[in-house]
Amino acid sequence: MKISYNWLKQYINITQTPEEISQILTGIGLEVESLEKVLAVPGGLEGLVIGYVKECVQHPNADRLRVTKVDAGGEELQIVCGAVNVAAGQKVVVATVGTTVYPTTGEPFKINKSKIRGEVSEGMICAEDEIGLGTDHAGIMVLDENAEIGSLAKDYFKLEDDYVFEIGLTPNRVDAASHLGTARDIAAYLRTKIELPDNASFTVQNLALPIAVEVADAKACPRYSSLTISGIEVKDSPDWLKQKLSVIGVRPINNIVDVTNYVLHALGQPMHAFDADTIKGNKVIVKTCAEGTIFKTLDGVERKLSADDLMICNAEEPMTIAGVFGGINSGVTHQTKNIFLESAYFDAVSVRKTAKRHGLKTDASFRYERGTDPGITVFALKYAAILIQQLAGGTVSSEISDLYPSPVASFTVQILYKNVHRLIGKAISVEEIKSIIAALAIKITAETEEGLSLEVPPYRVDVTREVDVIEEILRIYGYNNVEIPSQIRASLNNAAKPDKDAVQNQFSDLLSANGFNEILCNSLTKSAYSDDLETAVKILNPLSSDLDVMRQTLLYSGLEVIAYNQNRKYPNLKLYEFGKIYHQYQGKFSEQHRLSVFLSGNDQAEQWNQKEKPVNFYQLKAVVDGLLKRAGVHNLVIEEAELHLLDYGLTYKSGSKTLVNLGLVSKKELKKADVNQPVFFADFDFDLLLKQIGRNKIVFQDIPKFPSVKRDLSLLIDEQITFNQLKQTALKTDRKLIKEVNVFDVYKGDKLPAGKKSYALNFVLLDEEKTLTDKAIDAVMQKVAFNLQKEAGAEVRK
C-alpha cells in the first residue's frame, strides 16, 4: 500500500521528516518497506532560477536570434535566445550552465556554455515545455513582476516534492488502508489530533432528481448511503488531483471517477458513481439475482452470477457487483450529466466470497473483504459531493438516503492492568495506558482499580479481545521501550535427543560456511504447483489464487526465489531452506519437516586466471554427502532416482524409506516458476534424518600405523549397471581390507560395443595390523575382479 507524505499532512500536523515518519510507522506495526522521493515534475526544476532580461538586441549574424543580458541574481549572463517574445524588462526562467533540463517530450539534456553564430551563450531562457511544466512552445515563459530575481524556480512555481511510503499492510490492519487510517496511528503515537476534511459547506440545493433506494438483503448490506447530483460536466481532473493519485500509482480517468478514487484512498471508504440517466425505473435495489444470471462487467467479460452474489440493480437489471466491480453500462462517461453517488458498508464475508468466485481483485474489494468503517459512509458521501461540485459543477438534487436499520455496535472489551503488565513484560503506568487507549479513539466506559471497560470503534475489526487491546497498547508504547530482563529464570528441560534445533543449526553452519544462503518462504502456494490435488491441503478462504493450498514440496518456493534473483541479474545461487510440507490422506492431515538445497548458475565467477564454471550434479552430491557425514549417517542404499520432478538423480534410502532425493530439476517444473537456467535440487526428509542420527555411533580411532595401497581396475560393463552396484560388490568382497572405492573415469562412445560403457575404479586397501604384501593385495584384487564379473557381468580391461 502506498501512502503520500504530503497527503498525510492534510490530516495531521507533521514536523518530522519522511525518514522519521518511516521509523515511527515501522515501530507501531505499519512496516515501511520502502521510501521513495517523488518529484513534482521530472528533474524538480533543479538549477533553474528567476532572471531579469536587462538588455535584448538583434543577433549580428542571425535574423531569428537575440542576444540578451540576463541578471540571474548577482550574476550577469549573456544568453542567445530564439524566442520571438523575448524582450528587455522581462522576468524569465533561466537554466544556467551545468543544469540538466527535462523537457515535456524528448530526452533530458545538459546546458553547456557555447557559441551560437559567433556569440557566447551562457545558459537558456526557458519555454514551459522545455522544463516539463507544460506543452506550450510558442515562446519563453514571462513571469509576474513580483518574481524575485535569483530565487529558485521551484519556489516560484510552488512545486512541492513528495515522498511515498510503501507499507507492507498485514491483512488485519485494514483500518490503516487509507491516508486517514495511517494518520490515526501516527497521531496516536505522537498524542496529537486528527484534522478531518471540512464538510460544513455541504447543502442540498434541490430535490429535482430523487432516486428510490431499497435494500432487500440487509445482512449483506447493513448500510447504504446515497444521493444524486445533477448538471455536472465530466472532464479531466485538475493537476492537483491528478498528481495526488499518480503519486500513489492510481491512473487518473476523469474528474468524477478520480474523486471517488481520491475519497477511497483518503478515507478508506469505497464509492461508486452511476450515470443516473441509465438507472431504469428511477430505482436502486440492493439484492441478489437468480443463479446463472449473465452479467457483463466493466472489463467486457460476461460472468455467470451466483445466487449469493450481492448486486446493485435498477428496476429491471443488475448494474454492479456490490463492493467488487462495476457493470459495463454503470460507469460515468463524458456524456454523463447526472450521477447517483453510492457510499455503502457491505458484509466482508459476502464480498470476499463473491470476489473469489469471479477472480476479481479491486481496491474496493480489498477493503470490503477485510472490513470497512460502517460509521463513515455519510461523511464520505458529503465529502465526495463537495469535491464533485468544485471540479464538475452541478447541484445536489436529493436528500441523503441512509438506510441503516441495525447500526453496527462497538466492540466491548474488559482489560485488567495485571494482564497488561504480564503480557507486555513491563509495568506501564495506569495514566500511560489510559492515554494510549484514548489516543487510539477507544472509549473508556468504566474504570476500577483492577482495570477498564472499553468500547472499541467498529472500524477496528481486529481489536475484539483483551489481548488485542494489550497489543495495541504495546505497539503504541513501543516495542523498543520494553527492556530486556537483566536475568531470566528457567528450569532444565529434558529434551529428546538428537535435538532438532541443534542439528538444524549444525547443518545451517555447514551450508553457510560453504557459501549457501538460507531462505524462508511462505508455506502457502498456488494449486498449479500441485500434481495431486486430492492430497493437497486447501485453504478455505485464500487471499488469492496464488496462495490457495499448503505446499507439498519445498521445490517451487525455492524456484520462485531463484526466478526472482535471476530476473534481477543475480543468477549464481546457492540456497537452502528448512521448512514444512503438508498433505492430507482420507481426511487426516500430515506435516513433515524437510531440508531443501539448491544450486544454480555458476560455481565461480570468471577471473583472469579462471573461466566461469557452471555448477553440476556432483557438487550437489558432495554437499549431500557432507551433510550426511556431519550427521554420522552412513550405510545408506543409493538408487537411481525415479521422481517426476527430476530429469535425473539419485535416491538415498534407509531401509525402504527415502532419506534424500537429489538431481537436476526437470524443464517442465522450471517452466512453472519461469526459471530459465538449470537447477540442481536436493530434498531431505529431515524427520527421518533425525531418527538416523545416533544409530551409527562415531568411535575414535588412532591414525593407522601402516600405509594404505591403491589399485586400479578398468571395467567394461552394461550401461544399466551403476557405480553403487560395483561399489557394494567390491566392499562385500573384503570389508576388512577394502576401505574406499572411487570412480575416476567414465567412457561411453562408438569405440565400445553397443550398450556398453567403461568405468575406471580406484581401490584403497589398508590392513590396520600389518603392512600389506603384494601377494595379499593381488589376492584381494583377483577376488574383486571375479565377483564383479559374476554379479555385474563386468569384463576387466587390460
Side-chain angles (χ1 to χ4, degrees):
M1 182 187 69
K2 293 185 177 180
I3 293 293
S4 158
Y5 177 70
N6 291 340
W7 202 338
L8 278 178
K9 292 194 287 188
Q10 294 180 206
Y11 305 108
I12 182 173
N13 182 22
I14 297 176
T15 58
Q16 289 77 10
T17 65
E19 291 76 13
E20 291 171 333
I21 294 297
S22 290
Q23 293 177 357
I24 290 172
L25 288 171
T26 300
I28 58 179
L30 300 178
E31 182 180 358
V32 176
E33 297 177 341
S34 67
L35 174 62
E36 179 184 358
K37 184 176 182 179
V38 180
L39 301 176
V41 296
L45 303 187
E46 290 294 333
L48 302 181
V49 298
I50 307 301
Y52 176 71
V53 182
K54 299 172 64 176
E55 180 183 321
C56 180
V57 298
Q58 180 67 43
H59 194 292
N61 302 316
D63 293 340
R64 296 186 179 182
L65 298 178
R66 305 286 187 275
V67 180
T68 66
K69 301 290 185 182
V70 180
D71 179 3
E75 180 184 10
E76 186 174 288
L77 305 174
Q78 177 172 299
I79 299 176
V80 176
C81 182
V84 295
N85 64 328
V86 64
Q90 294 174 334
K91 290 186 176 179
V92 294
V93 177
V94 178
T96 56
V97 172
T99 298
T100 299
V101 294
Y102 295 77
T104 302
T105 58
E107 295 297 319
F109 59 93
K110 188 176 181 179
I111 303 299
N112 297 310
K113 184 177 181 179
S114 61
K115 277 191 176 183
I116 302 178
R117 293 291 185 92
E119 296 293 326
V120 174
S121 184
E122 302 173 295
M124 182 176 75
I125 302 175
C126 305
E128 68 174 37
D129 71 324
E130 292 172 327
I131 56 177
L133 285 178
T135 58
D136 187 10
H137 193 68
I140 61 168
M141 300 177 70
V142 180
L143 309 181
D144 294 337
E145 292 183 0
N146 60 359
E148 183 181 346
I149 299 171
S151 63
L152 298 178
K154 66 179 180 180
D155 293 337
Y156 173 81
F157 290 105
K158 298 180 180 178
L159 293 181
E160 190 177 14
D161 296 336
D162 202 354
Y163 293 82
V164 175
F165 306 97
E166 183 77 41
I167 296 177
L169 195 69
T170 52
N172 63 311
R173 290 304 311 279
V174 69
D175 63 289
S178 66
H179 286 79
L180 175 61
T182 304
R184 280 195 192 111
D185 261 17
I186 298 173
Y189 179 84
L190 299 175
R191 306 292 201 280
T192 188
K193 293 182 179 179
I194 288 290
E195 296 291 336
L196 293 173
D198 185 4
N199 285 349
S201 61
F202 175 83
T203 57
V204 176
Q205 279 93 12
N206 58 61
L207 302 177
L209 189 58
I211 291 181
V213 179
E214 177 187 335
V215 177
D217 190 342
K219 180 181 178 182
C221 178
R223 188 173 192 179
Y224 194 88
S225 308
S226 60
L227 56 76
T228 62
I229 303 176
S230 59
I232 62 165
E233 179 186 359
V234 180
K235 55 185 179 182
D236 284 348
S237 297
D239 290 340
W240 72 264
L241 180 52
K242 288 181 180 178
Q243 186 178 349
K244 287 284 188 188
L245 296 176
S246 297
V247 160
I248 60 171
V250 177
R251 181 175 64 88
I253 298 175
N254 60 53
N255 51 356
I256 305 301
V257 175
D258 291 350
V259 164
T260 60
N261 284 332
Y262 178 80
V263 173
L264 166 68
H265 291 280
L267 306 180
Q269 174 58 43
M271 306 191 74
H272 190 74
F274 298 80
D275 187 330
D277 297 328
T278 65
I279 299 177
K280 297 177 182 179
N282 222 31
K283 186 174 184 179
V284 170
I285 308 171
V286 185
K287 63 176 184 178
T288 56
C289 295
E291 182 75 32
T293 300
I294 301 298
F295 178 70
K296 183 179 284 190
T297 46
L298 272 172
D299 54 3
V301 177
E302 286 192 349
R303 305 177 188 275
K304 286 187 178 182
L305 299 179
S306 163
D308 295 324
D309 293 335
L310 187 68
M311 306 295 295
I312 311 299
C313 308
N314 56 38
E316 299 179 12
E317 60 191 4
M319 299 186 292
T320 67
I321 303 176
V324 181
F325 210 35
I328 193 71
N329 299 315
S330 71
V332 171
T333 68
H334 283 278
Q335 287 71 46
T336 300
K337 299 299 178 185
N338 307 306
I339 61 171
F340 173 80
L341 196 60
E342 164 196 284
S343 177
Y345 171 68
F346 297 115
D347 177 66
V349 174
S350 173
V351 173
R352 187 185 308 119
K353 288 182 177 179
T354 295
K356 175 173 169 35
R357 190 178 294 120
H358 296 289
L360 293 170
K361 291 293 180 183
T362 62
D363 284 341
S365 68
F366 174 85
R367 288 158 177 81
Y368 278 130
E369 285 180 34
R370 289 156 177 80
T372 56
D373 181 4
I376 205 173
T377 59
V378 172
F379 182 89
L381 193 66
K382 291 179 178 179
Y383 185 39
I386 292 170
L387 290 173
I388 288 172
Q389 287 183 286
Q390 291 174 356
L391 305 183
T395 57
V396 178
S397 300
S398 73
E399 295 285 357
I400 292 177
S401 171
D402 185 26
L403 304 181
Y404 196 20
S406 302
V408 178
S410 299
F411 304 111
T412 57
V413 181
Q414 312 288 327
I415 69 166
L416 298 176
Y417 296 132
K418 66 178 183 180
N419 289 338
V420 175
H421 302 153
R422 178 176 60 84
L423 291 178
I424 291 178
K426 181 179 180 179
I428 302 174
S429 71
V430 171
E431 292 305 316
E432 179 73 5
I433 292 172
K434 291 165 64 177
S435 173
I436 293 173
I437 287 173
L440 289 166
I442 298 174
K443 184 179 179 182
I444 299 174
T445 57
E447 180 178 358
T448 66
E449 290 184 1
E450 289 77 25
L452 302 170
S453 297
L454 308 173
E455 284 188 0
V456 181
Y459 63 78
R460 288 308 310 269
V461 294
D462 64 321
V463 184
T464 59
R465 305 166 299 167
E466 180 185 33
V467 68
D468 299 329
V469 176
I470 294 172
E471 182 185 6
E472 292 296 291
I473 294 170
L474 174 57
R475 70 182 186 85
I476 298 301
Y477 179 74
Y479 296 99
N480 293 334
N481 292 326
V482 179
E483 297 83 359
I484 298 174
S486 58
Q487 62 178 8
I488 299 176
R489 296 180 179 178
S491 58
L492 293 175
N493 180 30
N494 294 321
K497 290 189 176 183
D499 187 326
K500 171 183 172 294
D501 294 329
V503 174
Q504 182 170 321
N505 287 336
Q506 288 175 355
F507 276 28
S508 295
D509 291 342
L510 181 59
L511 289 165
S512 297
N514 282 275
F516 284 79
N517 291 308
E518 185 173 9
I519 58 176
L520 183 63
C521 302
N522 198 341
S523 293
L524 298 176
T525 188
K526 50 187 173 186
S527 53
Y529 288 152
S530 297
D531 293 314
D532 184 7
L533 283 175
E534 292 292 326
T535 62
V537 179
K538 302 179 181 67
I539 306 302
L540 295 179
N541 293 311
L543 294 175
S544 70
S545 58
D546 287 343
L547 300 171
D548 57 349
V549 298
M550 304 294 285
R551 62 182 174 180
Q552 295 176 285
T553 172
L554 302 188
L555 172 64
Y556 299 108
S557 53
L559 291 181
E560 287 180 346
V561 173
I562 291 171
Y564 181 90
N565 284 273
Q566 163 193 296
N567 293 337
R568 285 154 182 80
K569 307 300 181 185
Y570 193 81
N572 304 328
L573 298 165
K574 294 181 176 181
L575 308 172
Y576 69 95
E577 179 183 11
F578 291 93
K580 295 180 181 179
I581 61 172
Y582 307 85
H583 295 84
Q584 65 163 336
Y585 303 97
Q586 299 178 348
K588 295 182 179 180
F589 296 92
S590 71
E591 180 180 295
Q592 297 174 321
H593 289 81
R594 313 292 288 193
L595 164 62
S596 61
V597 179
F598 298 88
L599 285 173
S600 187
N602 293 320
D603 178 49
Q604 56 191 21
E606 186 175 16
Q607 298 183 28
W608 69 271
N609 62 345
Q610 63 184 21
K611 293 184 178 180
E612 289 182 339
K613 183 180 178 183
V615 295
N616 56 55
F617 170 77
Y618 300 102
Q619 287 175 285
L620 178 67
K621 183 176 183 298
V623 171
V624 171
D625 290 344
L627 291 172
L628 293 174
K629 185 176 181 181
R630 179 68 182 85
V633 177
H634 48 83
N635 295 331
L636 299 175
V637 177
I638 303 178
E639 300 175 353
E640 189 171 342
E642 296 181 359
L643 190 65
H644 73 279
L645 300 176
L646 304 176
D647 274 345
Y648 64 82
L650 295 175
T651 296
Y652 288 27
K653 287 187 173 181
S654 175
S656 61
K657 296 181 179 179
T658 298
L659 182 62
V660 192
N661 283 307
L662 64 149
L664 177 68
V665 179
S666 73
K667 292 181 179 179
K668 177 183 176 183
E669 307 308 321
L670 295 179
K671 188 176 181 181
K672 290 181 181 180
D674 294 326
V675 175
N676 56 22
Q677 63 186 30
V679 176
F680 294 93
F681 167 64
D683 178 34
F684 288 79
D685 184 336
F686 200 63
D687 291 326
L688 180 59
L689 180 63
L690 290 174
K691 294 177 182 177
Q692 299 299 310
I693 296 174
R695 287 189 176 183
N696 302 306
K697 293 184 179 180
I698 299 174
V699 180
F700 171 78
Q701 288 182 327
D702 289 329
I703 296 174
K705 297 178 181 179
F706 303 98
S708 61
V709 178
K710 292 184 179 180
R711 289 290 187 271
D712 297 338
L713 275 182
S714 180
L715 306 173
L716 186 66
I717 57 176
D718 293 337
E719 283 191 344
Q720 66 268 24
I721 299 298
T722 66
F723 165 69
N724 188 61
Q725 289 175 269
L726 302 177
K727 180 179 178 180
Q728 295 303 321
T729 299
L731 290 175
K732 285 190 298 182
T733 300
D734 194 325
R735 293 188 180 277
K736 179 182 177 182
L737 297 183
I738 299 177
K739 302 300 182 182
E740 293 182 30
V741 181
N742 299 300
V743 59
F744 65 88
D745 186 53
V746 177
Y747 175 75
K748 295 180 182 179
D750 54 6
K751 295 181 179 180
L752 297 178
K756 296 289 185 176
K757 62 184 176 180
S758 174
Y759 267 17
L761 303 184
N762 173 261
F763 298 83
V764 178
L765 296 89
L766 171 68
D767 191 330
E768 297 176 357
E769 299 176 355
K770 61 185 177 181
T771 300
L772 283 170
T773 63
D774 287 341
K775 183 178 180 180
I777 295 170
D778 291 342
V780 172
M781 294 307 297
Q782 287 176 7
K783 288 181 182 178
V784 169
F786 177 80
N787 288 339
L788 289 174
Q789 183 178 8
K790 179 181 178 182
E791 296 188 19
E795 177 184 342
V796 178
R797 306 181 70 189
K798 298 182 180 179

